[in-house]
Amino acid sequence: RLILGQMRRTKPKNKFRVGVFRRWLADTVGDERMRQGSGVVDVAGGKGELAFQLLHLCDIPATVVDPRPLQLQVFKQR
């Protein structure tokens, strides 16, 4: 869209960013490699959404390392 004569990109929605990142990891690293050993460590994992998706959608063990408590209720409802 044009604003003051300049082209400006609209900001993409971040609603699905974790799912996009999970698919990128699967394509780049590979599911089998992520399943090796103890799985994936999600450092500064925040609410734990990536680890939740890796475990429940891809059957990849994941551990979240973050000083804040996990908030998985929202992801369970989805």
Side-chain angles (χ1 to χ4, degrees):
R1 69 188 177 187
L2 292 176
I3 297 177
L4 299 175
Q6 297 177 352
M7 286 294 274
R8 186 172 181 190
R9 294 188 314 185
T10 57
K11 186 176 178 182
K13 299 217 182 238
N14 287 329
K15 185 176 182 179
F16 303 108
R17 71 182 181 277
V18 174
V20 170
F21 183 61
R22 175 184 47 81
R23 288 187 293 279
W24 179 83
L25 275 177
D27 292 343
T28 304
V29 178
D31 288 349
E32 290 304 316
R33 186 167 181 194
M34 288 192 283
R35 284 188 190 103
Q36 291 177 349
S38 299
V40 174
V41 175
D42 184 4
V43 178
K47 297 177 184 176
E49 186 175 4
L50 177 61
F52 184 87
Q53 286 191 16
L54 286 171
L55 180 62
H56 291 90
L57 299 177
C58 302
D59 198 32
I60 297 171
T63 302
V64 177
V65 177
D66 198 292
R68 296 171 288 179
L70 297 177
Q71 300 173 356
L72 300 177
Q73 297 80 11
V74 174
F75 312 122
K76 288 179 182 179
Q77 291 173 354
R78 287 186 195 169

